[in-house]
Amino acid sequence: MTARVPTSRTSERGVVLLTTLLLVAVLAALIVAVMDDIRLAIKRTGNIRAHDQALWYARGAENLGRETIERGWKIHPSVSTLNDAWAMEGVRFPIDNGVIAGRIRDGGNCFNLNSVVQRDGRGRFIARLEGTAQLQALLAALDVNQSDAEALAAVLVDWIDSDSAASPGGAEDSEYMGRTPPYRTAGALLVDVTELRAMRGFSEKLYSALRPFVCALPTETPSLVNVNTLMAEQAVLLVMLSGSGLSISAATRVIAARPLTGFGTIDEFWALDDMAPFKPAAERPGVADVKTRYYILETEVTYDTAELTTAALVELNDAGKTQLHTRRIGAFE
């Protein structure tokens, strides 16, 4: 006679087995989740380490660039040309698990948007006529009609100046407070060219056309265009300096005719037949020079899993030392 296992005991064994399998499944899922978290944490830590190392490589490249600029000043303190060591293109430095690419370009060959104002006796920003006229000439060279150019210059002045009264054709807080979302004018020097996008009249199309030829230097002093480092694609800046009296083709011809070693003095530049009619009077502030004061240092670092781009704006003072004004992750737009 065969013994029979009680039904209750069989059920208990089934429950125990099912519970065990369930626990194993839960523990397996937990282990997988924990391992995924560990792998993700390890990868994140590696990425952070690679990014930090890339940042230090970029900082080192920036310092090397500043040293190159300072060495160039010691050789030629009164003249900057495209033959200088800092102007070399495509400099690349191989490193373990990556490469550093560096470039230095003239940061002053532009119209300084902040030069449309100047400080009065109380330190307040007021309109600078020479600056607004220069901006209007630049806009005219980009095929903006005169009335629109005057209004745009007034809008820029109102964005920076210290008062709340709108200039003729300009725009103060009342213009922008009605927008969604509302905002106010800066009442201070522009920090970045992209601020133009917030101003009335500066459409995306106009901004794109204007952007290659303007900058926002950390001063209201006009930027002196270095005629020795001006590129052919920047010929419109010569048109601007001439008050729109020079044609684009003539400006391009002037740049192409530049001596290989550059102009030794600014008078040599103004002596050119095309430029002589536009030489500023002795009492007028300078608009051009043969040396560079502001430089933009751009660095691209590829290291391990990190890819990093940085940019810095530095100023070369009269003592031949560079001063950092702006540093950012990413290129200047």
Side-chain angles (χ1 to χ4, degrees):
M1 184 175 181
T2 304
R4 298 183 61 185
V5 178
T7 303
S8 59
R9 185 175 299 177
T10 302
S11 299
E12 290 175 0
R13 290 178 177 176
V15 170
V16 170
L17 179 60
L18 183 60
T19 303
T20 303
L21 292 175
L22 182 60
L23 286 173
V24 170
V26 170
L27 289 174
L30 288 175
I31 292 172
V32 170
V34 169
M35 292 302 296
D36 284 343
D37 287 344
I38 291 174
R39 283 194 293 268
L40 182 60
I42 292 173
K43 185 175 182 179
R44 187 187 300 116
T45 301
N47 289 341
I48 293 173
R49 181 190 61 81
H51 181 273
D52 288 346
Q53 184 61 58
L55 194 59
W56 282 111
Y57 277 131
R59 191 69 56 84
E62 177 190 306
N63 290 336
L64 179 60
R66 293 174 64 174
E67 290 175 5
T68 301
I69 294 170
E70 292 173 359
R71 285 198 302 269
W73 179 88
K74 292 178 180 178
I75 299 173
H76 301 293
S78 59
V79 178
S80 305
T81 73
L82 294 177
N83 297 319
D84 294 346
W86 64 263
M88 294 177 58
E89 290 283 350
V91 179
R92 298 174 66 86
F93 305 94
I95 56 177
D96 291 340
N97 301 322
V99 65
I100 303 172
R103 177 192 178 204
I104 305 175
R105 57 188 175 91
D106 194 309
N109 281 349
C110 52
F111 171 73
N112 179 19
L113 294 168
N114 289 321
S115 67
V116 298
V117 298
Q118 61 186 351
R119 295 182 187 271
D120 64 12
R122 296 182 297 170
R124 293 164 56 86
F125 291 121
I126 60 174
R128 184 202 301 269
L129 296 181
E130 295 86 358
T132 55
Q134 202 172 55
L135 175 58
Q136 291 173 32
L138 175 59
L139 290 167
L142 297 174
D143 298 325
V144 177
N145 65 59
Q146 182 177 349
S147 60
D148 287 345
E150 291 174 355
L152 289 167
V155 167
L156 178 58
V157 170
D158 284 341
W159 185 267
I160 302 174
D161 68 12
S162 301
D163 62 39
S164 57
S167 308
E172 277 288 353
D173 289 346
S174 57
E175 168 72 26
Y176 305 108
M177 288 300 291
R179 298 188 177 187
T180 305
Y183 55 93
R184 298 180 182 275
T185 58
L189 297 181
L190 272 65
V191 176
D192 195 89
V193 175
T194 55
E195 291 183 55
L196 286 177
R197 290 173 162 170
M199 302 180 202
R200 190 192 70 193
F202 287 91
S203 64
E204 192 63 33
K205 180 179 180 181
L206 176 60
Y207 176 82
S208 298
L210 194 60
R211 180 61 189 93
F213 311 110
V214 297
C215 54
L217 299 178
T219 175
E220 69 273 18
T221 303
S223 177
L224 301 184
V225 173
N226 184 354
V227 296
N228 281 337
T229 59
L230 205 61
M231 309 299 287
E233 57 269 23
Q234 297 173 309
V236 70
L237 292 174
L238 289 186
V239 179
M240 176 191 73
L241 297 185
S242 72
S244 297
L246 194 69
S247 66
I248 288 288
S249 59
T252 304
R253 183 169 62 246
V254 168
I255 295 174
R258 181 173 56 207
L260 294 178
T261 56
F263 298 102
T265 66
I266 193 60
D267 288 335
E268 291 180 18
F269 168 74
W270 290 118
L272 296 175
D273 291 341
D274 284 316
M275 299 308 304
F278 311 108
K279 182 178 180 179
E283 66 274 11
R284 284 184 56 196
V287 293
D289 204 348
V290 292
K291 60 182 179 181
T292 297
R293 188 172 186 88
Y294 291 94
Y295 297 83
I296 292 177
L297 288 68
E298 298 172 327
T299 304
E300 295 181 0
V301 179
T302 300
Y303 172 73
D304 201 3
T305 60
E307 293 183 0
L308 180 68
T309 300
T310 65
L313 173 68
V314 300
E315 179 182 3
L316 183 67
N317 62 28
D318 294 335
K321 298 298 182 181
T322 55
Q323 175 186 355
L324 176 68
H325 283 294
T326 305
R327 179 190 291 129
R328 66 172 60 181
I329 303 297
F332 287 109
E333 184 182 332

